[in-house]
Amino acid sequence: MVVTSRNIPVARPSFDADEERELLDALRSGWVTQGPRVAEFEKRFAAVVEAEHAVALSSCTTALFLALHSLGIGPGDEVIVPSLTFIASVNPIVHVGAVPVLVDVDPESFNIAPQRVAEAITPRTRAVMPVHQLGHPADLEAIQKIANDAAIAVVEDSACAVGARYRGRPIGASGNLNCWSFHPRKVLVTGEGGMITTNDADVATRLRRLRHQGMSISDVERDSADEILTEEYPEVGFNFRMSDLHAALGLAQLPKLDRLVARRRELAARYDAAFAEIDAIARPEPPPSAEPNQQSYIARLRHADRASRDAFLNAMKRRRVATRRGLMAVHRERPYRIAPDNDRVRAAGPLHHSELADAQTVILPLYPELSEADQDYVIEQIPAALEEAGALEPAR
Ligand SMILES: Cc1ncc(COP(=O)(O)O)c(C=O)c1O
């Protein structure tokens, strides 16, 4: 048995002297709330994802909320979303007052199934929210066509997807409202943080106002003006600002994106090669149009159920390897249970693939600094952990 020198985490941000320097510079500048570094981060981020405008926010959750709010979506409206996603995709739909309509996923890619979207549309549908699950691009072309035919908006949950590509272009290049996260489990990390990208200048202007209490001018504009500028508040806004401290980290992270993604892909390919030999483990198969960024490495334990999957996670923990349950089906959580007395949510069609993925998937350690020796250790522990959990062979 290879002996690992330390506990292996499931994820870890890639910070070095660049982040330390940028953060210290920001601190020393005295400007620690939304300021010039946020503006610079927005400009550079937009260029990287091939969008025209980027509006930095406090998280992807606030980004999704603001995107829906800016489209005027509210009470009486429906938004189609996969059930198989982190609950943060769905909560903002409820927060704007609309009803999430949960649909099933494709069993291979774990992404929203376009056919299920088409079937879920009603006269109340205002938007569809494809989630680029764990950085695996959803089938945007099919979804866009369905949305165009039905005259509904597409709001992309791109929380995990920076650096992923679809049909040769980065996620973010579609022109739709795209919402991003910089949480530590993501590929680019600012601690907490989010972004909306769009190609519409008017929408970007309004989003900037809404994130800052509805204020008509930014603090930077006011500060750099020759004369006193008095702001106005033409509509009700929020405080969803990103701070310059967070943006400083983003500025240090952005130039590393290609390298971080390349290293993630190398490590993912090593897992793929190892798991080709283990019948009990299946991987999502990205279609040829999709180039995932490997934000997380997800595997499906073919022979597991919820109990043996959890037993596997514990068996790995005993071996000092951190893993996580994989994707969650939100309708298994209390607020989103499908029941006659729960009018907060609706399911369109069966959610079998979501339920199976919820029970059988796991996330394995993957981060750019994961050493090959540590990854080999993880791989070597898996058959024994599967056996211990009763998930190595089909149940009799
Ligand atoms: C698919 C998805 N959507 C939304 C979010 C919310 O991101 P944040 O933590 O930045 O609010 C996450 C975060 O984990 C996510 O994975």
Side-chain angles (χ1 to χ4, degrees), residues 62-319:
T62 52
L64 289 165
F65 172 89
L66 210 59
L68 297 169
H69 176 79
S70 73
L71 289 166
I73 294 174
D77 296 333
E78 292 179 348
V79 177
I80 299 170
V81 62
S83 171
L84 191 73
T85 184
F86 185 45
I87 202 161
S89 308
V90 182
N91 288 335
I93 300 172
V94 173
H95 288 311
V96 296
V99 173
V101 175
L102 306 180
V103 297
D104 212 357
V105 292
D106 175 274
E108 292 298 320
S109 68
F110 299 142
N111 271 319
I112 193 167
Q115 186 55 32
R116 300 284 93 80
V117 174
E119 292 160 4
I121 290 174
T122 73
R124 291 173 179 262
T125 310
R126 294 288 313 282
V128 54
M129 185 189 290
V131 182
H132 303 297
Q133 207 51 262
L134 306 175
H136 285 253
D139 188 355
L140 276 180
E141 200 172 83
I143 293 160
Q144 195 76 58
K145 181 168 177 345
I146 293 163
N148 292 351
D149 290 350
I152 60 171
V154 180
V155 175
E156 295 175 43
D157 182 337
S158 304
C160 303
V162 67
R165 297 174 78 81
Y166 174 76
R167 297 198 184 282
R169 294 192 69 193
I171 291 297
S174 62
N176 296 320
L177 287 167
N178 268 256
C179 301
W180 309 85
S181 174
F182 307 114
H183 173 274
R185 288 272 297 271
K186 305 302 186 288
V187 173
L188 292 183
V189 178
T190 64
E192 297 285 353
M195 190 81 85
I196 300 180
T197 52
T198 171
N199 285 352
D200 187 319
D202 293 338
V203 169
T205 302
R206 178 153 181 248
L207 292 170
R208 287 182 209 291
R209 204 164 61 213
L210 284 169
R211 74 175 165 190
H212 191 23
Q213 309 292 4
M215 193 165 144
S216 58
I217 50 176
S218 73
D219 290 336
V220 176
E221 282 170 306
R222 187 165 51 183
D223 205 60
S224 54
D226 293 334
E227 295 187 2
I228 291 291
L229 287 182
T230 305
E231 76 280 9
E232 288 174 4
Y233 299 85
E235 62 181 321
V236 179
F238 307 87
N239 176 0
F240 290 160
R241 296 184 300 265
M242 177 186 276
S243 82
D244 260 26
L245 299 179
H246 294 86
L249 292 175
L251 284 168
Q253 290 263 286
L254 255 188
K256 303 175 182 175
L257 177 62
D258 289 349
R259 179 167 65 70
L260 296 176
V261 171
R263 179 64 185 151
R264 285 174 176 279
R265 288 183 176 146
E266 267 171 32
L267 291 165
R270 293 186 88 245
Y271 275 138
D272 285 345
F275 298 153
E277 312 287 315
I278 305 180
D279 173 63
I281 297 192
R283 291 255 316 118
E285 281 295 333
S289 54
E291 295 167 64
N293 62 359
Q294 305 297 349
Q295 175 263 334
S296 289
Y297 191 90
I298 186 167
R300 187 165 69 80
L301 310 185
R302 261 189 238 280
H303 308 311
D305 56 17
R306 181 175 297 273
S308 55
R309 188 273 314 273
D310 290 349
F312 169 80
L313 302 182
N314 275 316
M316 291 300 281
K317 194 174 171 64
R318 284 194 292 278
R319 291 165 166 80

